[in-house]
Amino acid sequence: MDDEGAYARAGGRLPGDPVPDPGLGDEPGPLAPQGRPPRRRTSFWRAFVHALPVLLIVVAILYDIFTPRYFTAGPLYTAAPLVAAPLYSRRGTALTGVAVVAAVVGLQLGKGVIHYVDSLTELITIATVAVLAVLVNGLVRRSDERLVSVREIAEAAQRAVLPAPAERIAGFEIAVCYQAAQADAFIGGDLYAVQDSARGVRLIVGDVRGKGMGAVAAVAVVIGAFREAAEQEATLEAVAQRLERALAREGTRRDGLDAFEGFTTAVLAELPHGGGTVRIVNRGHPPPLLLYADGTLGPLPAHESALPLGMGELGVWPDRAEETAFPAGATLLLYTDGLTEARDAKGEFYDPQARLTGRVFPHPASLLDTLAEEVRRHSGGGMADDMALLAVRRPRRGDHDHCHEP
């Protein structure tokens, strides 16, 4: 799998990609699949809208030719450069305006009415609108440039805070996916991280309470603390305690309600090197799912409830990692509640356990692609909450030749 594909699943848009035209309905999000029928229908409408200024001019000319003199196509002529302004380049908008003025002058000369007051007024009006369209185009172009700049900064921030892990770590196949609910956002309050250590591959998926930059700051704190603790601490329980202390320190620097109610639900997992097990510590987070090679599926709920990270002052419960068999060919799926809280038009939640039971996926990436597409369809393209997905597969013997190397 190439780097662009991995980054697309992480929720980003590559630098240099065109900014989508607003209002054309072709922006379902970075997880949208390519080459499906809805996309082709959207491409047709995009082409139609792009050709609309030319069509308006043609229709206006035909209208003027086949109607009496006192009928006018002035509204169509004025609409053409205005429609072209947000769609075309400055040169294209100017050429559209020139074409409109030339068509009106030519038709008025042909009918011998250019010297009439109403015809002259119509010509001046159309020419004025054409000039204004060029000015509007300049404003739109500058806005687009600023938007591209903001997107590139957001992409850089996402790569820094939530970098996509390698697709193969210590023999495990790994894939991640991030979808922010907020329009034009690339990162929110959900998080994931993968860290190899002397004691195994350690993972975290979490959800920070709140939105905006405060949540993003908490995400950075959790991930930074996790990467350090995952390498240094001897047990997964100790890693969770390090995160608890890190969030407690962060809480003293936050103002308002977040200083008292800030917390992060999280699930931590450890995959020992060479072992066929997975150890899990769950801090108030949705339980992971284990998809077996034969299509069966089993949730991994915590047998002992624990408070989310950052709420240690409410009580002390020692973390206890729960160990489960993780056989070859199985895939571990960690996710945030953006997956299970996606609703359809009837208000029904998406149920990953029911949707995935009986299905087999050759690679974690194909599992996440399927989930992202199904959630998008289920919710009608709108997300109520951020969604982070992390899938890890333990390859079976003989699968190495089919693995996607980074």
Side-chain angles (χ1 to χ4, degrees), residues 129-296:
V129 171
V131 173
L132 292 176
V134 174
L135 297 178
V136 170
N137 176 268
L139 295 175
V140 171
R141 294 303 105 190
R142 283 195 290 272
S143 297
D144 286 347
E145 290 172 0
R146 286 195 293 268
L147 180 58
V148 170
S149 177
V150 169
R151 285 181 175 274
E152 290 178 350
I153 293 172
E155 291 162 10
Q158 179 180 10
R159 292 189 179 190
V161 178
L162 288 179
E167 295 179 17
R168 190 174 179 87
I169 299 177
F172 295 99
E173 298 172 352
I174 298 174
V176 296
C177 167
Y178 191 94
Q179 175 76 63
Q182 184 177 356
D184 298 323
F186 288 83
I187 186 173
D190 288 6
L191 62 97
Y192 57 76
V194 181
Q195 185 69 39
D196 196 9
S197 71
R199 297 166 184 84
V201 177
R202 287 171 169 173
L203 325 165
I204 183 173
V205 167
D207 186 357
V208 175
R209 190 201 73 84
K211 302 291 183 183
M213 293 307 299
V216 174
V219 167
V221 169
V222 173
I223 291 180
F226 170 78
R227 292 195 182 281
E228 182 179 0
E231 288 191 352
Q232 297 177 357
E233 298 294 345
T235 65
L236 196 61
E237 294 89 337
V239 174
Q241 289 302 313
R242 282 277 290 272
L243 299 182
E244 180 72 45
R245 293 193 292 272
L247 280 175
R249 290 193 301 271
E250 171 66 13
T252 62
R253 297 192 291 268
R254 302 177 75 175
D255 299 326
L257 188 62
D258 286 346
F260 301 96
E261 296 188 3
F263 62 86
T264 300
T265 66
V267 59
L268 295 87
E270 180 181 85
L271 307 173
H273 294 152
T277 61
V278 56
R279 303 179 72 242
I280 294 175
V281 169
N282 195 319
R283 284 297 204 97
H285 199 77
L289 299 177
L290 192 57
L291 290 74
Y292 295 94
D294 61 357
T296 58

Side-chain angles (χ1 to χ4, degrees), residues 31 178-183 187-191 206-212 215 265 285-286 335-343 349 375 379 381-389:
L31 297 180
Y178 191 94
Q179 175 76 63
Q182 184 177 356
I187 186 173
D190 288 6
L191 62 97
D207 186 357
V208 175
R209 190 201 73 84
K211 302 291 183 183
T265 66
H285 199 77
Y335 57 92
T336 58
D337 56 11
L339 175 66
T340 53
E341 292 182 359
R343 300 191 186 201
F349 293 106
V375 168
S379 62
M383 298 286 293
D385 196 3
D386 299 341
M387 180 178 70
L389 308 173

